Amino acid sequence: MTNELDIFVGNTTLIDEDVYRLWLDGYSVSDAVGLRVRSGILEQTGATAGVLQSDTMDHYRTFHMLERLLHTPPKLLHQLVFQIPPSRQALLIERYYAFDEAFVREVLGKKLSKGTKKDLDNISAKTGVTLKSCRRQFDNFKRVFKVVEEMRGSLAGNIQQHFLLSDRLARDYAAVVFFANNRFETGKKKLQYLTFGDLAFCAELMIQNWTPGAVADSQLDDMDVDLDKEFLQDLKELKVLVADKDLLDLHKSLVCTALRGKLSVFAEMEANFKNLSRGLVNIASKLTHTKDVRDLFVDLVEKFIEPCRSDRWPLNDVRLFLNQYSASVHSLDGFRHQTLWDRYMVTLRSCLLRMYHD
């Protein structure tokens, strides 16, 4: 009895996207085979279980060999061992560096160190993301951080250049790096309602407006990873808005005059104006201290969002108030720090509106 065997020889590396996803998700070969069987692939293709097992193992071997190249994506583009079309190369890179929101939310703002890595078992159990996938995602964050932390210029641009990620994913990684570098507290219970998208939105605004790269020539000044220390020091000048009783009273009068009849919570706003203003200004004046920088989001929730929620402010009233609160400062004759105020409030106003879930 003779067996017939069909052989096809080619030099293009075949990539099965579904198997790649299973590998990225941390499934073993046997688990991946089981999932593929349950998907109905045997019935669809007429393959045997043995062939499916061999096919899965072959793909896994390929992915393991590609992984060292994926750690430095430009190497994948320039190597000659694997013949992979450019579109496939981009897919491999993008999906390798993609991350689960549930996972990133647990590590956001934490130091990307061995200590955090030891917690991955607990994070895996909490999020349902496999431990192997958690390790890959954590190592990706750490790898990107190490490459770009000392680079000057655009943080997202540097990430995109060195890791060949899409614009959106590069910006998300920029947020992860920015949070890790500045160690913002994001894990407290009162912050759990905030999504990664909310926090990444705020990170992008801070990078654009509160880093040395936000002014003058970012190539000469500094990098987007750090907050601008001179700017943080200057923010102390805003304290006069609440320390000077006449300025505080005039600011309140201007805001109340402009918003009378426009807010459903006008009485609550008028009664609580000074407390809200002190909260926002005091946050600014304390950002020279490392602990206060770390607690920025906690303070925003405690000093502004929770009081407004308590009085049942609708989001539109919050928007009207913050717009008028920011703009009215330009009518205060005794105030001399308009540019500084705008640099602070443009970011703060947008962050608060994103964080305020009424």
Side-chain angles (χ1 to χ4, degrees):
M1 179 178 176
T2 59
N3 291 324
E4 291 187 1
L5 182 64
D6 292 328
I7 298 175
F8 172 78
V9 178
N11 64 353
T12 300
T13 302
L14 299 177
I15 304 294
D16 187 306
E17 293 183 35
D18 293 329
V19 181
Y20 187 49
R21 187 176 293 108
L22 293 170
W23 179 74
L24 290 174
D25 287 344
Y27 291 105
S28 65
V29 171
S30 59
D31 288 340
V33 169
L35 288 168
R36 295 185 78 189
V37 169
R38 286 195 285 278
S39 74
I41 193 169
L42 295 182
E43 292 79 8
Q44 295 165 17
T45 62
T48 65
V51 168
L52 187 65
Q53 173 86 10
S54 297
D55 178 70
T56 306
M57 288 180 66
D58 186 50
H59 275 98
Y60 268 50
R61 277 192 295 267
T62 299
F63 299 147
H64 282 302
M65 288 187 286
L66 287 170
E67 189 164 22
R68 63 181 179 81
L69 297 171
L70 288 166
H71 290 171
T72 313
K75 288 183 178 179
L76 178 64
L77 270 60
H78 299 122
Q79 56 79 38
L80 301 174
V81 177
F82 301 97
Q83 300 300 308
I84 305 172
S87 61
R88 278 310 214 206
Q89 291 176 343
L91 179 144
L92 288 169
I93 294 166
E94 190 79 0
R95 291 194 179 171
Y96 187 79
Y97 282 91
F99 51 79
D100 292 284
E101 178 157 331
F103 174 76
V104 71
R105 190 62 187 82
E106 291 296 317
V107 300
L108 194 65
K110 292 182 179 177
K111 194 172 182 180
L112 300 175
S113 64
K114 291 180 180 178
T116 303
K117 194 166 186 177
K118 289 178 181 177
D119 292 336
L120 294 184
D121 283 342
N122 294 330
I123 293 174
S124 174
K126 181 178 179 180
T127 61
V129 179
T130 66
L131 180 58
K132 191 171 182 180
S133 183
C134 285
R135 286 174 177 156
R136 173 182 59 81
Q137 295 177 55
F138 180 83
D139 288 342
N140 284 346
F141 293 153
K142 189 173 181 178
R143 185 181 309 112
V144 172
F145 182 90
K146 283 190 171 183
V147 168
V148 302
E149 65 175 323
E150 298 298 334
M151 287 184 177
R152 298 182 182 276
S154 165
L155 180 54
N158 287 335
I159 293 170
Q160 199 165 16
Q161 178 184 347
H162 286 82
F163 291 91
L164 310 180
L165 306 182
S166 65
D167 177 67
R168 179 66 268 166
L169 189 56
R171 284 157 58 192
D172 284 345
Y173 265 87
V176 173
V177 170
F178 187 71
F179 266 78
N181 186 66
N182 293 285
R183 304 286 302 282
F184 293 110
E185 171 62 59
T186 67
K188 289 195 173 179
K189 187 175 181 180
K190 63 180 61 187
L191 300 180
Q192 289 304 301
Y193 78 96
L194 294 172
T195 65
F196 170 72
D198 294 334
L199 295 166
F201 174 85
C202 295
E204 193 164 340
L205 285 169
M206 285 189 277
I207 290 170
Q208 289 172 1
N209 298 307
W210 290 5
T211 62
V215 292
D217 187 338
S218 63
Q219 296 295 325
L220 295 177
D221 267 350
D222 212 322
M223 43 208 161
D224 283 350
V225 177
D226 298 312
L227 291 169
D228 184 347
K229 290 182 173 59
E230 185 176 344
F231 166 65
L232 299 184
Q233 188 67 37
D234 290 345
L235 286 176
K236 289 185 175 181
E237 301 293 344
L238 302 183
K239 187 81 173 176
V240 68
L241 286 170
V242 293
D244 185 316
K245 185 178 182 302
D246 291 338
L247 271 182
L248 180 59
D249 287 341
L250 179 55
H251 193 188
K252 177 180 176 180
S253 176
L254 289 170
V255 173
C256 289
T257 298
L259 294 180
R260 193 178 304 277
K262 297 179 181 178
L263 298 186
S264 62
V265 291
F266 181 84
E268 291 84 351
M269 182 278 292
E270 187 176 33
N272 209 25
F273 177 90
K274 292 184 178 179
N275 286 333
L276 293 175
S277 187
R278 287 191 186 100
L280 296 178
V281 172
N282 286 338
I283 288 171
S285 66
K286 295 192 300 179
L287 288 178
T288 50
H289 302 110
T290 302
K291 183 183 184 304
D292 290 303
V293 170
R294 290 180 182 176
D295 286 342
L296 173 63
F297 293 96
V298 177
D299 289 340
L300 291 176
V301 169
E302 290 181 349
K303 306 298 184 185
F304 185 85
I305 290 174
E306 286 181 345
C308 291
R309 274 194 195 141
S310 178
D311 284 338
R312 301 177 184 275
W313 287 41
L315 178 59
N316 192 54
D317 280 11
V318 174
R319 181 179 290 106
L320 289 171
F321 170 76
L322 286 172
N323 289 344
Q324 194 59 47
Y325 176 78
S326 302
S328 295
V329 165
H330 289 271
S331 300
L332 299 175
D333 291 336
F335 186 65
R336 297 286 179 264
H337 307 286
Q338 313 287 2
T339 302
L340 179 67
W341 172 254
D342 288 344
R343 188 178 174 189
Y344 173 64
M345 280 304 299
V346 162
T347 294
L348 206 71
R349 179 177 65 233
S350 295
C351 282
L352 287 169
L353 289 173
R354 179 65 182 250
M355 292 168 64
Y356 193 83
H357 299 186
D358 61 350

